[in-house]
Amino acid sequence: MSVILEELAGYKNNTTFGWYNVNSGSVGQIFTGTDGSGAEKTVVFDDPTSFGFYIDPNGIPSNRMYTDHLLNTHGDFQVAVFKILDVENQYILGWEDLDLNGSTGGDRDYQDMILRITIRPVPEPGTMLFMGLVLLGLMWIGRQCQGRAGWGAAV
């Protein structure tokens, strides 16, 4: 789940926010430029171990800025990420929407789009299968023991 806490940029009516898959290169938009403070969305990732976030300042994909600084022009850190203390799996992302090495050099305020992100781990299918098999095994053992107790009582 992600929530827009604040948008202070001049581009706020156009800037989009989304996710990307590091391995496949697939992307998905979460917020549009018309979504404002307090907007809330939930996204389920196909590969929850290999994702990041991006913004398109002023809605221009060719200006895309990523949480992985190595994907950004000049390897710039365009987002400041803060872990919320005492709250499990919650983070604050503060974005700078100007290229830090561009003609303006960016204002480095990291307040152009501020989001709260909650990451909820989902059990892997293999883990769920294992737990299901364990439960089936316990049920089978329980029935076997119940059958023996009933047979012993009848004799």
Side-chain angles (χ1 to χ4, degrees), residues 55-77:
I55 63 168
D56 290 334
N58 209 17
I60 303 171
S62 62
N63 290 341
R64 185 163 286 169
M65 297 171 179
Y66 299 91
T67 49
D68 181 350
H69 72 98
L70 296 175
L71 298 175
N72 296 327
T73 307
H74 309 106
D76 293 331
F77 290 90

Side-chain angles (χ1 to χ4, degrees), residues 6 20-21 26 42 59-60 88 96 104 115 148 150:
E6 191 65 58
Y20 64 93
N21 182 305
S26 59
T42 299
I60 303 171
E88 191 173 344
E96 170 56 53
T104 64
L115 302 120
R148 287 186 187 150

Side-chain angles (χ1 to χ4, degrees), residues 68-138:
D68 181 350
H69 72 98
L70 296 175
L71 298 175
N72 296 327
T73 307
H74 309 106
D76 293 331
F77 290 90
Q78 296 292 147
V79 61
V81 179
F82 301 93
K83 168 78 175 87
I84 299 176
L85 297 178
D86 300 327
V87 180
E88 191 173 344
N89 297 322
Q90 284 199 7
Y91 303 86
I92 300 289
L93 305 181
W95 289 88
E96 170 56 53
D97 66 353
L98 299 172
D99 184 353
L100 298 176
N101 286 297
S103 59
T104 64
D107 54 13
R108 301 175 190 266
D109 57 10
Y110 295 91
Q111 65 176 12
D112 299 311
M113 180 178 271
I114 303 169
L115 302 120
R116 182 181 66 234
I117 305 293
T118 303
I119 299 173
R120 293 189 181 112
V122 176
E124 297 179 25
T127 303
M128 295 302 291
L129 177 62
F130 175 73
M131 292 300 294
L133 289 173
V134 167
L135 287 173
L136 286 173
L138 290 173

